[in-house]
Amino acid sequence: MARIDAGPLQVFGADLARQLEALVERADTDPDVRAVVLTSAHPTRFISHADVKWLQEGGAQYVARLHSKADAAPPPPEYVGLDRLHGVFLRMNGAAAVFVAALEGAALGLGAELAWACDLRVMSDRDAFIGQPEVLLGIMPGGGGSQRLTRLVGAHRSLVAILDGKPFTPAQALEIGAVDAVVAKETVIARATALADELGKRHKPSIGAIKRSVYFGGSLPLPDGIKLEAKEFLGLDVAEEGQRRMLAYQAQTRERGELPLYVPGGYEEALRAGRTEG
């Protein structure tokens, strides 16, 4: 579990972006990390929204670099702009680990966008709301909110919500699919952890391949999405672990005279374990 501590106002700024980048890198590459639950150190806020100073100064610096043209100094290595922020969220979408947002409180702007970038979202039934208020500041979502929310709830619902700036209540978010579960506030972390533990039992390379196929292939034209799926499938099909499990499945079929997933209780046990026997 990763607990987000973004100061007394719980705003998402460059420091948090860099910490998240390191966390996602570890989750993707460490074979022992199968799932991550993101929660908050703040009692009533998951993430308030972006650090507005960071957004405003970033825009001003961008304009200054455009005006300077060839004379503009490159941003320092620690600089976090839109490209780097988008890269972190896209890495989450393609990572071989499951990310679950535990929303015990408010998630606006970049807080909502971080939640949309996770694979699952568990929300408190009180003291919580989620949405994109950027239009009220004369801007719009910049962390992928207009894209990921649209893919979750559909174009029209996303458009109206972002144009209005009004957040979803827990009941509204659950009804339209913006979150996956709404539970009592005191059980949010437990439910998020249970989901993370359950899905984290699956084969780690399979998790990454499935996520890339769904997130990146699902928005491609169908023939291109099929090609991406085939590429990911073949990588797993020829790998040592996939071959070993499929050979074991065949051996169990011969031994029992029945397909292991159709043996009484076999499918349920495989779901609990995250794998077939062998």
Side-chain angles (χ1 to χ4, degrees), residues 86-112:
H86 290 160
V88 175
F89 288 169
L90 288 169
R91 181 75 181 272
M92 290 174 67
N93 293 150
V98 175
F99 290 87
V100 184
L103 305 171
E104 296 178 283
L108 291 178
L110 254 179

Side-chain angles (χ1 to χ4, degrees), residues 132-141 161-165:
Q132 306 284 169
E134 289 87 350
V135 69
L136 304 177
L137 280 77
I139 54 175
M140 64 167 284
I162 295 172
L163 282 176
D164 187 23

Side-chain angles (χ1 to χ4, degrees), residues 10 23 54 56 114 147 162-163 165 169 190 231 243 249 251 275:
Q10 195 70 355
L23 173 68
W54 174 46
Q56 177 268 317
L114 174 58
Q147 302 305 302
I162 295 172
L163 282 176
T169 66
K231 175 179 177 293
Q243 286 287 312
Y249 193 88
R275 57 179 296 154

Side-chain angles (χ1 to χ4, degrees), residues 2-277:
R3 193 175 298 277
I4 300 168
D5 186 348
L9 299 180
Q10 195 70 355
V11 292
F12 193 123
D15 287 344
L16 179 55
R18 287 188 287 267
Q19 293 177 50
L20 181 64
E21 186 176 53
L23 173 68
V24 175
E25 166 70 21
R26 181 186 171 196
D28 193 20
T29 58
D30 187 335
D32 295 326
V33 179
R34 302 295 187 89
V36 177
V37 173
L38 294 176
T39 184
S40 172
H42 197 285
T44 61
R45 304 177 193 177
F46 177 68
I47 294 288
S48 301
H49 51 60
D51 181 347
V52 175
K53 182 181 179 184
W54 174 46
L55 300 184
Q56 177 268 317
E57 290 183 346
Q61 291 164 8
Y62 174 72
V63 171
R65 286 195 298 273
L66 285 180
H67 289 165
S68 300
K69 296 183 180 178
D71 298 329
E78 69 275 10
Y79 176 75
V80 179
L82 275 182
D83 287 350
R84 187 168 176 182
L85 179 67
H86 290 160
V88 175
F89 288 169
L90 288 169
R91 181 75 181 272
M92 290 174 67
N93 293 150
V98 175
F99 290 87
V100 184
L103 305 171
E104 296 178 283
L108 291 178
L110 254 179
E113 289 168 322
L114 174 58
W116 309 142
C118 288
D119 304 305
L120 294 164
R121 289 150 289 278
V122 178
M123 192 175 190
S124 169
D125 62 359
R126 66 181 191 276
D127 303 327
F129 48 85
I130 186 168
Q132 306 284 169
E134 289 87 350
V135 69
L136 304 177
L137 280 77
I139 54 175
M140 64 167 284
S146 68
Q147 302 305 302
R148 289 188 176 86
L149 180 59
T150 297
R151 285 159 171 76
L152 282 171
V153 307
H156 183 67
R157 282 193 174 118
S158 178
L159 174 68
V160 173
I162 295 172
L163 282 176
D164 187 23
K166 184 178 180 180
F168 300 120
T169 66
Q172 290 170 335
L174 181 63
E175 180 183 3
I176 65 175
V179 300
D180 299 281
V182 171
V183 298
K185 185 170 184 175
E186 58 272 17
T187 66
V188 168
I189 292 177
R191 181 66 175 275
T193 301
L195 287 171
D197 286 345
E198 179 182 356
L199 296 182
K201 292 175 183 176
R202 275 57 177 168
H203 182 43
K204 182 159 185 171
S206 294
I207 291 172
I210 291 165
K211 287 174 57 173
R212 290 187 294 272
S213 295
V214 171
Y215 286 126
F216 305 145
S219 57
L220 294 174
L222 181 58
D224 296 330
I226 293 294
K227 288 178 183 177
L228 175 58
E229 180 191 89
K231 175 179 177 293
E232 296 288 359
F233 167 78
L234 289 171
L236 297 170
D237 187 54
V238 303
E240 180 181 351
E241 181 67 8
Q243 286 287 312
R244 188 179 69 79
R245 292 196 192 187
M246 288 186 289
L247 288 170
Y249 193 88
Q250 294 174 65
Q252 292 160 21
T253 301
R254 290 191 296 269
E255 177 184 337
R256 300 172 180 179
E258 178 58 288
L259 300 166
L261 288 179
Y262 286 84
V263 171
Y267 207 151
E268 291 80 0
E269 178 55 35
L271 289 171
R272 282 193 294 270
R275 57 179 296 154
T276 52
E277 294 179 12

